[in-house]
Amino acid sequence: FLIMEFVKGQPLNEYIEKVSGPINEEDTFQIMKQILSAVQYAHDKGIMHRDLKPSNIVINRKKEIKILDFGIAKKLGDKGHQHTRIGQKLGTLPYMSPEQIRGFTDISISTDIYSLGVLLFQIVTGKSAYSGNLDEFELSKKIVEEPLPRIKDIYPGAATYFQTIIDKATEKKPENRFVSCFQFLEAVKQAQKTEAQVGICNLKENISIENETLPTININVSRIENIEQNKNINGIINSNSKLINVLLY
């Protein structure tokens, strides 16, 4: 018999469908960091998953992630024992890379990166990238020939920088994608920093506007310049008394 870890939680696709809908930006950053770090660890050990999708990822109440089902995983560079015959397709169609669709046997970690790009699309928009009304041929043709739908067409509230990351991860040619999950992760971290900086700029702009119209405001704007990103800012705006107090910790 096998002794295995009991993982408490629910599949990510079920979480998105029944609990969260489109996942907010902060949670998206935290979830993707965990997923990318885990897949990078597998790649570092020479293992390619080949079936990354929301139903193979479990999320618990603390938003901690576990990746499951390495049933069709493959050891990188393993040509001695072919688990995949030429022309045979393994994986879950909506999350498969173009090279998987074509049945190539010499796929690399880029196929996992492609799947993670499709996964990010679903996290951000709350919807699968492809309609369930497509038959296998139509869906396969779209994956091979067409880019993913634009995230704002599915969910207008999606942040634009996620589109750039998704586009890079889901390039049709493997060599044009992120070269590793680490590079993918760095792009996510950079997007988070950009969002934090935008948040500070918006806060300062709002303060500036209020300062012109409300003479009773008492605020030390210069202290904001020394804040690293937008961490530890607690802004309280009292419109009734026309006072703005920004508490900096």
Side-chain angles (χ1 to χ4, degrees):
F1 60 90
L2 294 175
I3 299 175
M4 303 176 69
E5 178 185 2
F6 173 71
V7 179
K8 192 173 183 178
Q10 63 187 137
L12 185 56
N13 60 314
E14 185 179 299
Y15 176 80
I16 293 171
E17 181 180 349
K18 297 181 179 180
V19 179
S20 69
I23 296 179
N24 67 61
E25 291 172 41
E26 182 58 33
D27 286 346
T28 295
F29 289 133
Q30 298 308 317
I31 289 169
M32 286 304 298
K33 286 177 184 178
Q34 293 180 72
I35 294 172
L36 288 164
S37 295
V39 178
Q40 181 65 58
Y41 180 83
H43 290 172
D44 288 344
K45 297 298 181 182
I47 301 297
M48 181 169 48
H49 191 285
R50 297 201 297 176
D51 196 21
L52 290 165
K53 57 185 177 181
S55 60
N56 279 342
I57 296 171
V58 170
I59 183 170
N60 65 18
R61 291 183 179 181
K62 295 180 180 180
K63 296 185 176 66
E64 296 169 334
I65 294 297
K66 296 284 187 179
I67 298 177
L68 312 179
D69 195 359
F70 282 74
I72 62 170
K74 183 179 181 181
K75 187 170 179 60
L76 293 170
D78 181 11
K79 298 181 180 180
H81 181 61
Q82 292 291 344
H83 298 281
T84 308
R85 295 189 300 271
I86 295 174
Q88 182 182 14
K89 294 183 288 189
L90 291 178
T92 303
L93 192 57
Y95 304 92
M96 289 169 66
S97 65
E99 58 269 28
Q100 280 180 298
I101 295 291
R102 292 188 170 104
F104 293 171
T105 58
D106 59 342
I107 59 174
S108 67
I109 61 171
S110 291
T111 198
D112 280 349
I113 289 170
Y114 184 96
S115 299
L116 290 169
V118 182
L119 171 66
L120 177 57
F121 179 101
Q122 191 162 344
I123 289 173
V124 169
T125 66
K127 301 290 184 182
S128 173
Y130 299 103
S131 167
N133 297 325
L134 298 171
D135 62 33
E136 182 176 346
F137 175 79
E138 291 171 328
L139 179 51
S140 297
K141 193 171 187 294
K142 277 185 173 291
I143 292 171
V144 171
E145 297 179 358
E146 300 177 18
L148 268 63
R150 302 296 85 187
I151 56 175
K152 283 187 175 290
D153 290 344
I154 307 299
Y155 176 56
T160 303
Y161 49 74
F162 282 131
Q163 186 67 70
T164 304
I165 295 173
I166 291 168
D167 287 346
K168 177 68 173 176
T170 58
E171 284 277 1
K172 299 305 177 188
K173 295 181 178 180
E175 62 269 22
N176 292 337
R177 299 173 200 153
F178 294 113
V179 298
S180 66
C181 288
F182 176 78
Q183 191 183 65
F184 195 154
L185 178 58
E186 287 303 304
V188 171
K189 288 179 179 178
Q190 185 58 47
Q192 187 176 30
K193 288 180 182 178
T194 301
E195 173 63 15
Q197 290 165 357
V198 168
I200 290 178
C201 290
N202 288 341
L203 176 61
K204 290 193 287 185
E205 181 179 348
N206 290 338
I207 289 171
S208 177
I209 292 172
E210 294 291 345
N211 198 31
E212 292 176 3
T213 57
L214 302 177
T216 58
I217 292 174
N218 179 17
I219 186 170
N220 185 357
V221 179
S222 64
R223 294 182 64 189
I224 294 176
E225 302 293 344
N226 298 322
I227 297 175
E228 180 184 1
Q229 302 177 2
N230 67 341
K231 295 178 182 177
N232 304 322
I233 300 177
N234 182 11
I236 302 175
I237 300 178
N238 186 335
S239 59
N240 294 328
S241 61
K242 294 186 177 181
L243 292 175
I244 295 180
N245 297 310
V246 176
L247 306 180
L248 308 178
Y249 297 95

